[in-house]
Amino acid sequence: MSDNLKLAELLFPDITQTPADMEEKFPPRSLKEGARVTRLAPSPTGFLHFGNLFAGTVAYKTAKVTDGIFYVRVEDTDQKRKVEGAIKVMLDGLKAFDVTADEGVIGEGIEKGDYGPYYQSQRKDIYHVFAKQLVLDGLAYPCFCSAEELDEIRAAQENEPIKGYWGSYAKCRNLSFEEIEKNISEAKPWTLRLRSPGDMEKKCFFDDMIKGKIEMPENVQDVVLLKSDGIPTYHFAHAVDDHLMRTTHVVRGDEWMSSCPIHLQLFKCLGFKVPKYAHVAPIMKEENGGKRKLSKRKDPEAAVTFYVEKGYPKESVNEYIMTLMNSNFEDWRKTNKDADINSFPFNLKKMSVSGALFDMVKLNDISKNIISLMPAKKVYDYASAWAKDYDKDFFELLTKDEEYSVNILNIDRETPKPRKDIACFDEIKDYVSYFFDEIYEKNYELPENITPDMAKEILEAYIKEYNGADDKQQWFDRIKALCEPLGYTPNVKEYKKTPELFKGHVGDVSTVIRIAVTGRRNTPDLHAIMSLLGEDKVKARLTDAIESL
Ligand code: GLU
């Protein structure tokens, strides 16, 4: 028996399967030519960062534009970091924005597909099959160095260009079989390390789908493949999983770029075809004239739950993400106004290399536009679904009389120029508050040129004239007719020419009425508002204003 064989049996006595068995069990997928297989591989931290949703959307779209497969693999090898309910938080966050997996972990503890298990914690034997093969091939060895010994190595490397476990620093690289056997019989803990075949004088290359052609020195480090508890490191699990799950395009954060030489080498040592890589730059934020990463600690909008809690419709967030993803999306949108976002030809090559800039104002503008184009019933359905989860009292109010609420939301909607004033559903309560006595707050703050007495005079005259049955023209004519007897002009142009002749113009008169009825200076179409409120409520509001002013 060769030493490699003896060593492999010593380290992995229970592993009887071979890489060939694994290849057979997880054969190449039969997908149509060009179909891409991508994944999102979250660690179950219980927090879904906007960057995860962003990278997840990139991976999802990459698969979808080719009729491929997008799957979710849970990277739960770090048991210390495990958080209860974390998977649900993450999957819910993705689902809220339509990033749904075809395969993999599709619910907490629920898996779908033939390439599982999709929880890394359940794949230990699979990793060990390949670990054993590497030992057999002389490409991996056990390392018995303690934490103190590794610290000593690091301390001795101060002047070395390359730190870590390599070359002559790799103390366990050349242990004899007998030495290893002795250590194992003494139950010394060990990690499995790669016997790196790298040459620091040589370069490795790959063509990143986002970053372009990349050239880096080869890896020379004998990186850890299995930790002392037999759990794989990210590097090893990445190679084994993405190979066996037949990932064609590894879309991941660009913090992994610097590890690529290790990964390329590992794929080679394992005899795997290297997947295509697409390294996504982090989402950035402008601060004090500079740029920094969108931060979980500093920015509430870094959490995907932020968008759900505020009630941004998925259409808005997806549209915004697409503007961050592809620089040509906005031009496409201009010429394809009504097209489904899924018909946009998303291209990895058009992604930002250095990191797209997060812009809340832009998200809000996009969202206002999208919501303005929705039919009132859709806004109602979305808003009530949101309120049900996040504002129970408002939910009761909004859904008490569906027709009334839909009519409210229909004011200045479904017209050629709909109002664009709602960015997210948590703004709706305030937006419609004056329609509901329960939440209406009066506020009689008048324009500068109108005193309370002037306002009172206008309202006293108006309440006598007001007729709830008026159509819009009659309603406005009545307000105009009120102007002259009270010293205002119905003609704004005339007022602008000779303001000294008048107390104000028709706009001031209607503003006073608007304030009395709604508590606001700015609202959608006042005639529509008053019609919906109905004569009794309008009169009550006018009276109340007269008494309060
Ligand atoms: N679990 C890794 C992370 O959360 C995944 C990286 C990858 O996509 O390969 O960073």
Side-chain angles (χ1 to χ4, degrees):
M1 228 204 289
S2 76
D3 275 1
N4 285 349
L5 187 55
K6 282 196 286 185
L7 184 55
E9 289 306 328
L10 177 68
L11 299 178
F12 302 101
D14 301 329
I15 296 298
T16 53
Q17 288 191 300
T18 65
D21 296 328
M22 296 295 115
E23 295 294 331
E24 202 183 313
K25 191 160 173 210
F26 306 107
R29 294 166 185 268
S30 44
L31 294 170
K32 73 168 206 205
E33 176 87 23
R36 295 172 172 180
V37 180
T38 64
R39 84 300 191 276
L40 184 68
S43 303
T45 58
F47 180 83
L48 190 66
H49 193 286
F50 183 75
N52 295 128
L53 175 64
F54 181 70
T57 309
V58 174
Y60 175 80
K61 292 279 174 200
T62 299
K64 292 295 141 184
V65 290
T66 59
D67 292 329
I69 300 276
F70 168 72
Y71 71 90
V72 171
R73 176 173 74 229
V74 173
E75 308 219 318
D76 57 348
T77 52
D78 190 349
Q79 298 290 329
K80 283 195 288 294
R81 288 175 62 202
K82 218 169 179 173
V83 178
E84 227 30 68
I87 311 286
K88 185 170 167 13
V89 170
M90 303 179 93
L91 293 177
D92 283 356
L94 294 171
K95 207 166 94 199
F97 301 104
D98 281 348
V99 178
T100 45
D102 303 301
E103 187 183 302
V105 180
I106 54 166
E108 183 117 48
I110 307 170
E111 294 179 63
K112 178 179 158 195
D114 299 332
Y115 291 83
Y118 296 90
Y119 283 91
Q120 285 186 332
S121 58
Q122 294 169 23
R123 298 175 62 79
K124 198 165 165 179
D125 283 356
I126 298 177
Y127 302 122
H128 286 198
V129 167
F130 289 93
K132 186 170 187 177
Q133 185 64 43
L134 287 177
V135 175
L136 272 172
D137 294 339
L139 287 166
Y141 63 89
C143 167
F144 299 92
C145 286
S146 63
E148 293 73 43
E149 283 171 297
L150 294 175
D151 284 346
E152 278 165 26
I153 292 175
R154 230 166 284 135
Q157 284 179 327
E158 229 167 83
N159 301 319
E160 283 289 356
I162 301 170
K163 318 271 183 238
Y165 208 82
W166 65 279
S168 57
Y169 295 105
K171 292 213 283 196
C172 296
R173 202 174 222 244
N174 297 316
L175 292 181
S176 67
F177 177 74
E178 288 67 33
E179 285 170 294
I180 295 173
E181 202 177 28
K182 180 167 175 285
N183 284 340
I184 300 254
S185 69
E186 287 168 6
K188 272 200 183 172
W190 55 277
T191 59
L192 190 76
R193 285 188 185 270
L194 175 71
R195 188 188 304 277
S196 169
D199 176 344
M200 67 170 82
E201 304 299 324
K202 286 196 186 145
K203 296 264 191 305
C204 60
F205 308 87
F206 68 102
D207 200 355
D208 191 273
M209 302 285 290
I210 297 172
K211 308 268 183 183
K213 289 209 182 325
I214 304 289
E215 185 187 304
M216 285 192 250
E218 277 189 4
N219 171 57
V220 294
Q221 307 229 20
D222 286 359
V223 291
V224 174
L225 304 176
L226 296 178
K227 296 178 236 176
S228 56
D229 52 6
I231 299 288
T233 54
Y234 170 79
H235 308 308
F236 190 48
H238 155 51
V240 171
D241 291 347
D242 281 312
H243 172 69
L244 288 184
M245 294 179 185
R246 308 292 169 180
T247 309
T248 62
H249 290 63
V250 171
V251 176
R252 63 182 177 187
D254 68 2
E255 68 273 21
W256 295 108
M257 279 282 282
S258 59
S259 308
C260 278
I262 299 173
H263 301 158
L264 297 177
Q265 193 171 67
L266 262 175
F267 275 83
K268 196 159 166 213
C269 290
L270 289 159
F272 300 159
K273 181 170 178 249
V274 178
K276 289 247 187 289
Y277 284 105
H279 286 100
V280 180
I283 303 291
M284 307 300 282
K285 198 164 167 174
E286 219 155 46
E287 191 179 63
N288 307 328
K291 276 199 214 172
R292 61 161 175 81
K293 283 189 205 170
L294 190 64
S295 142
K296 171 178 172 177
R297 209 163 37 79
K298 294 189 193 157
D299 309 308
E301 70 272 27
V304 170
T305 44
F306 168 85
Y307 306 89
V308 178
E309 285 161 14
K310 294 280 289 176
Y312 281 95
K314 60 186 180 190
E315 289 87 340
S316 305
V317 176
N318 287 341
E319 185 91 0
Y320 179 60
I321 287 180
M322 202 51 113
T323 66
L324 293 175
M325 268 162 65
N326 263 193
S327 45
N328 56 327
F329 175 70
E330 285 173 82
D331 283 339
W332 177 87
R333 184 45 100 201
K334 277 188 200 124
T335 45
N336 297 275
K337 282 207 164 54
D338 301 322
D340 185 328
I341 193 168
N342 292 322
S343 61
F344 171 70
F346 168 68
N347 188 343
L348 277 174
K349 299 217 154 100
K350 295 213 166 75
M351 285 195 54
S352 162
V353 172
S354 59
L357 209 56
F358 188 90
D359 180 351
M360 200 65 180
V361 174
K362 188 158 174 182
L363 166 64
N364 283 331
D365 284 348
I366 286 176
S367 195
K368 282 178 185 170
N369 190 43
I370 285 184
I371 295 178
S372 80
L373 297 171
M374 288 179 184
K377 175 71 167 73
K378 185 166 181 180
V379 180
Y380 171 81
D381 287 343
Y382 268 160
S384 48
W386 172 84
K388 192 171 185 188
D389 288 339
Y390 296 101
D391 191 340
K392 273 264 175 308
D393 292 344
F394 180 54
F395 172 75
E396 298 301 332
L397 217 51
L398 190 68
T399 55
K400 201 168 59 184
D401 179 350
E402 175 173 333
E403 196 188 336
Y404 181 59
S405 294
V406 172
N407 283 335
I408 292 171
L409 294 168
N410 201 33
I411 297 177
D412 288 351
R413 186 177 295 278
E414 296 179 48
T415 68
K417 272 193 171 263
R419 285 178 73 95
K420 300 182 181 179
D421 30 23
I422 304 166
C424 48
F425 300 118
D426 89 339
E427 293 172 354
I428 287 195
K429 182 178 184 173
D430 178 59
Y431 183 73
V432 303
S433 62
Y434 51 82
F435 283 101
F436 299 95
D437 284 339
E438 296 87 335
I439 52 173
Y440 169 60
E441 280 175 25
K442 40 189 178 180
N443 175 3
Y444 302 132
E445 208 177 303
L446 298 163
E448 300 73 53
N449 57 326
I450 307 288
T451 64
D453 282 342
M454 289 160 77
K456 218 165 161 164
E457 189 185 20
I458 291 172
L459 295 173
E460 275 163 354
Y462 182 65
I463 200 167
K464 286 191 211 125
E465 297 296 321
Y466 162 69
N467 180 345
D470 282 352
D471 67 18
K472 190 163 178 181
Q473 194 55 52
Q474 291 164 331
W475 168 86
F476 193 49
D477 286 346
R478 222 182 272 280
I479 295 178
K480 282 206 281 199
L482 219 62
C483 289
E484 271 169 10
L486 296 173
Y488 299 79
T489 166
N491 185 333
V492 181
K493 271 196 203 132
E494 191 180 21
Y495 179 76
K496 289 211 169 123
K497 242 189 283 159
T498 50
E500 64 284 359
L501 298 183
F502 307 99
K503 290 192 202 158
H505 58 74
V506 64
D508 297 315
V509 175
S510 49
T511 296
V512 169
I513 299 169
R514 190 185 305 271
I515 288 172
V517 174
T518 68
R520 318 231 166 144
R521 280 167 74 160
N522 266 313
T523 66
D525 178 6
L526 184 59
H527 172 258
I529 292 170
M530 289 167 68
S531 305
L532 266 178
L533 282 170
E535 200 164 309
D536 290 350
K537 203 169 276 180
V538 169
K539 280 198 172 143
R541 296 252 172 109
L542 293 173
T543 310
D544 195 3
I546 292 167
E547 285 166 4
S548 314
L549 274 163

